[in-house]
Amino acid sequence: MSTVAATHEHHHPTGITRWLFTTNHKDIGTLYLWFAFIMFLLGGAMAMVIRAELFQPGMQIVDPHFFNQMTTMHGLIMVFGAVMPAFVGLANWQIPLMIGAPDMALPRMNNWSFWILPFAGTMLVSTLFMEGGGPAFGWTFYAPLSTTFAPASTDFFIFAVHLLGFSSIMGAINIIATILNMRAPGMTLMKMPLFVWTWLITAFLLIAVMPVLAGAVTMMLTDRNFGTSFFDAAGGGDPVLFQHVFWFFGHPEVYIMILPAFGVVSQIIPTFARKPLFGYASMVYATAAIAFLSFIVWAHHMFTVGMPVAGELYFMYATVMIAVPTAVKVFNWTATMWKGSMTFEAPMLWAIAFVFLFTIGGFTGLMLGVAPADFQYHDTYFVVAHFHYVLVTGAVFAIIAGVYYWLPKWTGNMYHEGLAKWHFWLSAISVNVLFFPMHFVGLAGMPRRIPDYSPMFAEFNMMASLGGFVFGASQLLFLYIIIKTIRGGEKATDEVWEGAEGLEWTVASPAPYHTFETPPQVK
Amino acid sequence: MSANTITRKLRSFLYAVLLLGPGSALAEYKLNMPESVTVVGKEIFGLHMLVLWIVTIVGIGVFGVIIYSLFKHRKSKGAVASQFHESTAVEVIWTVIPLVILVLIAIPATKTLLKIEDSSNADVTVKATGWQWKWQYEYLDEDISFFSNLDSDSNEAREKGSGVNVRTVDNYLLDVDKPIVVPVNKKVRILTTSNDVIHAWWVPDLGIKRDAIPGYINESWFKATETGTYRGQCAELCGKDHGFMPIVVKVVAENDYQNWVAEQKEASAAASAGSDREWSEDELMTRGEEVYKANCAACHQANGEGVPGTFPALAGGELTTGSAEGHIDIVLNGKSGTSMQAFGPQLNDADLAAVITYERKSWGNDASVVQPSDVKAAR
Ligand SMILES: [Cu+2]
Ligand SMILES: [Cu+2]
């Protein structure tokens, strides 16, 4: 029938409209991933400016106001532009393939969730070129620095955050709808791959907290423009309220960025250890426990605001509790490797580095949770070191691991293993030269977010900057490897990896435009 | 670079790489938290070391197992994967052990926290108010009040293109024009608040950090057991010059403290003396330039051009070339809801008259001279 042929044509347009109007989960996943990568390079370029200024004591390159814009934009872009969209990209590509669904449940909304992002991102970045400069109040945008005392461009920042929030919420709804409704027959919840599980839980976190963030920025907007005083003490408002609202979003947000990373690593380690994941059920429960705890610990970011001591005690106890499910995860990965038959292709290398380095970030997290000690650590480079260990060597390493792991499935070609090893070793070494010394300067008394510092911190800062430049440059190699793989290379088999298990490895490489049009049967 | 600095750099590099961290005799490299000179600070340090050792030991254990496995259980060595994947007993054990460790940490942490939050029965109370970008100190029992700015050497050296090697500046960025002075072995209560955005008052050696929040007065305290000069910085991002508002606390013997208090009272009487007479334009301009550099240039810039979109230009400005009343008013009272703060409480009449005159007669402006008596009348 001619209509059938026509519809099929319609499903596979070419050129720019293919990408603009696409409702295909694979295309949208690709878009998300490229967007995230571009943002990663942009946010990384800003980090290079920061590290260049901090290379030596004294002001050499930028002025303090611009420096503050760089730290702020670097944080915002990496969180909202790079890490979150990258995980949504992985979800788009992999969740339907892993649960045997033909596509996402809400394909048109999927298109919209993505296409909001470039506009929001452009609006955010454009503030840098406005009079008075862009946001310069840190990615946490504490009031009143971000309300009464902020540049005019802040209203654009607020609107950009609203848009990013819409996009995330729609993405999350879509993921939940897909996972709950579109699993192949026989794929019970407790048979789902861990990546799917972690994303299901993450999506609920997103739906719960993105509206809170939207509320915070809306209150900022009305404080700035419509005469309200939510956060203005002079008008009867409360600047600390802002922090409570922000961190009620902000703490779950850090788990939004790390739970899918747990998922990726939990897929990769069993594959290359050729052994099933140890403690699958306890991994699921630990993820759920972390997600639950993430809602009740937010004020550990605010121990110094002058909370009542009972509040401080409560938040300390609740916070250190997170160490338990997190430790369970690390032990499970360790037990998965134990008595396996391991090989060390690039995805495995990144996953192993994740386990080591994320654990270091977890250790410093425990230290920070101990309230009396946090009075010393708070707002220093020790905190900067901590969250870069969990976010760069945690979330970003997991994303890179995932890209190497699934790239052959997406492109049909193997990446160049030699180059990938170079990429890994350069990154893994330089990232530690970059972030480890930050622990030292932080403990010794260097506050975060300062453009210039006492010469007693000079050596470690120079070391961090050198590490930073190498780490930054290494990511260009990643870009090169990806492009090279898309262009060609050794053909990948359907299974790709010897030890790989799961539905995604049963389809052809590259995965055809439409997969699982008839659902597979899962035993 | 001398051979000495090179070896020093190399050594610190090596130590860092080898993770030769806590407790070793590397004070000069500042790898660790300072041990502190206060009772509570020492407890905090102890807690820090306790948790650091715990995580180090756990880390060595876990990483040791992984590393062993990475070498032993690899396919290239002929390892065959066993297929075990569950053990409730093991799971229970490694859930319970972390729990027990946490309880062991929580007990001393709770004790210390309760001490930190007990600022009752203080001997001396100092109120520290954060302003963009300086600290104001008020001794509540003594009627002493003054501002503490970044010292002028650092302030000049920190400008981009200043040509000064900042390593030659003593205590670069960690020195102030006027430190606060407190007695040794006395409980000093610090009340923190802010006049504009949130700041944080932090002195690592005293083991104290507390946010200074507009509309709030937070309490914290320390009792230093050794005399000395202790340096810290504002810890909460507070705008452009957040990195340039240090804190210096001088802990002195009780009688030195009493002498200092007496001196302060005399000095504040002397400072207001000049306010009663007529000043010549030259005198006003010379004094005005100093005051301007110390108090205004951070925002309005030394050349009076300001920062477009953030801080207005005073060169050719409406108020700075207009009537004296409007000009005096904004400097005296500031403008609420902007970072233009009220300088009335900060500067005496002579300094205010001088800086206002300076602004009216510089950068091509040519408006009237303002005398201390004019400022006094406007107060
Ligand atoms: Cu948190
Ligand atoms: Cu400050």
Side-chain angles (χ1 to χ4, degrees), chain A residues 59 148 238 274-276 279 282 304-305 312 317 332 339 341-342 375-379 436 452 459 498, chain B residues 8 19 48 73 75 79 81-83 85 91 94 110 117 158 172 202 204 209 211 216 218 235-236 337:
Chain A
M59 299 299 300
T148 321
D238 183 351
R274 293 167 179 75
K275 188 166 161 278
S282 75
T304 60
V305 298
E312 290 177 341
Y317 299 149
N332 280 342
K339 296 218 164 145
S341 171
M342 278 185 273
F375 277 91
Q376 287 280 29
Y377 307 137
H378 180 62
D379 268 336
F436 212 85
D452 192 4
E459 280 83 2
E498 188 187 57
Chain B
R8 229 185 57 220
L19 296 191
H48 158 69
H73 307 141
K75 199 180 171 200
S82 58
Q83 294 298 310
H85 59 88
E91 300 269 0
W94 68 38
T110 304
E117 296 299 344
R158 72 155 167 124
Y172 177 61
W202 179 35
K209 180 185 288 137
D211 291 358
Y216 277 74
N218 276 333
E236 181 64 58

Side-chain angles (χ1 to χ4, degrees), chain A residues 38-51:
Chain A
I38 291 165
M39 285 292 159
F40 179 62
L41 294 179
L42 184 63
M46 292 175 181
M48 294 300 109
V49 174
I50 296 171
R51 281 324 316 173

Side-chain angles (χ1 to χ4, degrees), chain A residues 56-65 68 72 131-132 136-138 142-145 148-149 151 233 238-241 243 273-282 303-307 309 312-313 316-317 320-321 323-324 327-328 330-332 334-335 337-344 352 355-356 359-360 363 366-367 370-380 433 436 439-460 462-463 466 498, chain B residues 8-9 12-13 15-17 19 21 28-34 36 41 44 47-48 51-52 55-56 58-59 62-63 65-70 73-76 79-87 90-91 94-95 98-99 102 105-106 108-110 112-114 116-117 132 157-161 166-167 169 172-174 195-198 200 202-211 213-216 218 233-244 307-310 337-339:
Chain A
Q56 290 181 56
M59 299 299 300
Q60 289 91 17
I61 298 170
V62 296
D63 62 62
H65 185 53
N68 288 345
T72 306
E131 189 171 286
F137 29 66
Y142 280 8
L145 188 59
T148 321
F149 295 84
D238 183 351
V240 177
L241 172 68
Q243 298 184 26
R274 293 167 179 75
K275 188 166 161 278
L277 184 68
F278 186 86
Y280 170 89
S282 75
F303 281 133
T304 60
V305 298
M307 267 184 287
V309 67
E312 290 177 341
L313 285 173
M316 170 168 76
Y317 299 149
V320 295
M321 282 293 294
V324 176
V328 167
V330 174
F331 295 149
N332 280 342
T334 307
M337 289 188 256
W338 189 256
K339 296 218 164 145
S341 171
M342 278 185 273
T343 51
F344 302 98
I352 292 170
V355 175
F356 277 101
T359 303
I360 292 179
F363 286 153
L366 174 63
M367 296 172 74
V370 179
D374 184 69
F375 277 91
Q376 287 280 29
Y377 307 137
H378 180 62
D379 268 336
T380 68
V433 178
F436 212 85
H439 293 117
F440 300 142
V441 287
L443 290 175
M446 181 167 162
R448 67 192 280 204
R449 294 168 168 164
I450 56 174
D452 192 4
Y453 49 85
S454 154
M456 72 177 168
F457 306 125
E459 280 83 2
F460 288 130
M462 187 178 281
M463 188 171 156
L466 291 172
E498 188 187 57
Chain B
R8 229 185 57 220
K9 283 197 171 150
S12 58
F13 216 89
Y15 284 131
V17 171
L19 296 191
E28 53 191 308
Y29 300 111
K30 300 264 183 195
L31 286 170
N32 199 3
M33 187 188 282
S36 176
I44 291 177
L47 261 177
H48 158 69
V51 185
L52 184 57
V55 299
T56 307
V58 173
V62 176
F63 294 165
V65 173
I66 299 178
I67 291 169
Y68 177 85
S69 175
L70 291 181
H73 307 141
R74 50 169 71 201
K75 199 180 171 200
S76 58
V80 181
S82 58
Q83 294 298 310
F84 70 86
H85 59 88
E86 221 147 31
S87 161
V90 171
E91 300 269 0
W94 68 38
T95 309
L99 258 177
L102 291 180
I105 294 173
T110 304
T112 305
L113 195 57
L114 292 174
I116 291 177
E117 296 299 344
Q132 282 183 321
R158 72 155 167 124
E159 287 304 325
K160 198 162 71 176
V166 299
R167 290 169 201 264
V169 179
Y172 177 61
L173 298 187
L174 294 179
N195 179 62
D196 37 52
V197 301
I198 301 178
W202 179 35
V203 182
D205 285 308
L206 300 179
I208 175 173
K209 180 185 288 137
R210 195 61 59 137
D211 291 358
I213 305 172
Y216 277 74
N218 276 333
Q233 281 174 278
C234 172
E236 181 64 58
L237 178 61
C238 56
K240 179 169 88 60
D241 282 353
H242 161 57
F244 308 102
V307 176
T310 323
T338 77
S339 55

Side-chain angles (χ1 to χ4, degrees), chain B residues 353-371:
Chain B
V355 74
I356 294 170
T357 303
Y358 177 74
E359 287 178 350
R360 298 171 76 73
K361 292 275 183 199
S362 303
W363 321 300
N365 293 356
D366 192 17
S368 55
V369 170
V370 169
Q371 286 294 339

